[in-house]
Amino acid sequence: MKNQNRLLWEKGDFTEIAALMRKSGEEFVASLEIKSPLRVLDLGCGDGTTAIPLARAGAEVLGIDIAENLVAAGNRRAAHEGLLRLKFQQGDACDLRDVEDGYFDLTISMFGAMFAPKPFDVAKEMVRVTKPRGRIVMGNWIPNDPTSFVSQLLRISASFTPPPPEGFISPMTWGVADNVAEYFSRTGVPREKISMIKDVYEFIALDKNPENLIESLIRFYGPTMSAFEAAEKNGNEEELRRQLIELAYAQNKNTAVGVSIPATFLRVTIDL
């Protein structure tokens, strides 16, 4: 049986949302100052928002994602661009059983591994597959951050869904510095090797207004789709839609045409 996390991310078509994040993905990769040859693991990679620019920069890249539809989309993008040193495969961030110890110079995860259900296992696996003196970089949404569109989107969506099952660990715990330090300290990484700063990702689309952006999220983004389904059962779908549209208008910085919505996140860097 497929696990619930996989069902969530295969539910819609995240490629439609990832298309709004391409520019920020390229800017993030540029900030890493990649020097090839370099082996990179992109964990929770989607269809390649960061994996594609990493490969363009000359790195050998393996993208792993829980959703088979996103893996297939990523491989199509890689083939289209002729990126022969980039491969996507299906896998679980909690159990990278097909990846050997210490293989990668750099392991990154932008808003991907944070959604896996076992954060301590995720941290352990990321450290295990990264070389000694290698680097781990994560981007994690910060809970309840008023400057983060995605954090507020997830907060509103959660208010329309049933309570999570007992033992559930919210993915938003990855956006709290003390939690990140605890997850990695269990793997033996000392606190002084972990640095954390706030950074910004942008959702950019010149062909959408804020209302159309929300409709895309309702149609294609797993967490929003689930929230909308739950709201429909209670007759609250129009209230959920209203709150999300209000959020998009409030955070849109491009009032002339299209959308440009910044989303603050916690950027975690670990030097092993």
Side-chain angles (χ1 to χ4, degrees):
M1 292 180 62
K2 293 181 180 179
N3 65 39
Q4 292 303 306
N5 191 43
R6 182 171 174 181
L7 288 171
L8 177 68
W9 294 106
E10 290 183 349
K11 189 171 195 169
D13 184 1
F14 186 71
T15 64
E16 294 286 336
I17 309 305
L20 311 178
M21 306 167 72
R22 303 294 192 215
K23 184 173 184 293
S24 283
E26 293 170 358
E27 291 172 350
F28 170 79
V29 169
S31 76
L32 295 173
E33 298 181 343
I34 296 297
K35 296 177 181 178
S36 57
L38 200 71
R39 289 175 174 171
V40 183
L41 170 64
D42 189 346
L43 192 56
C45 59
D47 70 338
T49 299
T50 47
I52 295 282
L54 282 164
R56 288 177 186 152
E60 174 191 323
V61 186
L62 174 63
I64 294 181
D65 200 275
I66 193 72
E68 282 191 349
N69 57 330
L70 298 181
V71 168
N75 279 319
R76 286 193 297 271
R77 291 187 69 206
H80 178 73
E81 294 207 21
L83 297 170
L84 302 180
R85 301 181 72 208
L86 169 59
K87 184 177 85 168
F88 294 82
Q89 69 183 43
Q90 196 275 333
D92 189 335
C94 299
D95 182 8
L96 299 172
R97 62 183 65 188
D98 296 327
V99 181
E100 65 183 80
D101 295 359
Y103 186 80
F104 294 100
D105 302 287
L106 170 65
T107 296
I108 72 166
S109 184
M110 298 302 292
F111 324 117
M114 67 173 288
F115 287 97
K118 300 176 182 177
F120 290 104
D121 289 351
V122 170
K124 180 183 71 174
E125 287 292 79
M126 293 182 82
V127 171
R128 179 184 67 79
V129 302
T130 308
K131 289 180 179 178
R133 294 177 295 282
R135 184 168 41 146
I136 297 170
V137 182
M138 294 185 76
N140 302 323
W141 302 123
I142 304 169
N144 301 317
D145 190 316
T147 65
S148 176
F149 171 70
V150 179
S151 297
Q152 294 302 313
L153 174 80
L154 294 172
R155 178 189 61 79
I156 292 170
S157 297
S159 70
F160 285 82
T161 58
E166 186 176 350
F168 173 79
I169 300 176
S170 170
M172 303 306 288
T173 60
W174 278 104
V176 178
D178 286 346
N179 292 333
V180 173
E182 181 185 4
Y183 295 153
F184 283 103
S185 69
R186 295 272 193 99
T187 73
V189 176
R191 179 64 179 82
E192 60 267 23
K193 291 195 172 186
I194 308 172
S195 62
M196 290 174 262
I197 61 170
K198 283 190 174 183
D199 205 341
V200 176
Y201 234 68
E202 279 195 286
F203 291 79
I204 300 172
L206 298 180
D207 61 340
K208 294 182 185 292
N209 61 34
E211 291 188 37
N212 289 339
L213 171 63
I214 296 304
E215 290 305 318
S216 292
L217 290 165
I218 290 171
R219 289 181 61 197
F220 301 117
Y221 185 56
T224 312
M225 294 171 69
S226 294
F228 204 78
E229 289 168 3
E232 282 183 318
K233 292 178 181 178
N234 298 315
N236 294 326
E237 67 271 21
E238 289 310 312
E239 175 59 18
L240 173 56
R241 180 182 273 108
R242 184 193 68 77
Q243 290 188 29
L244 294 180
I245 290 173
E246 185 178 275
L247 171 69
Y249 271 105
Q251 298 213 357
N252 184 28
K253 304 302 180 185
N254 186 352
T255 56
V257 59
V259 294
S260 177
I261 300 179
T264 304
F265 68 94
L266 186 68
R267 179 168 176 156
V268 180
T269 303
I270 299 169
D271 294 301
L272 296 178

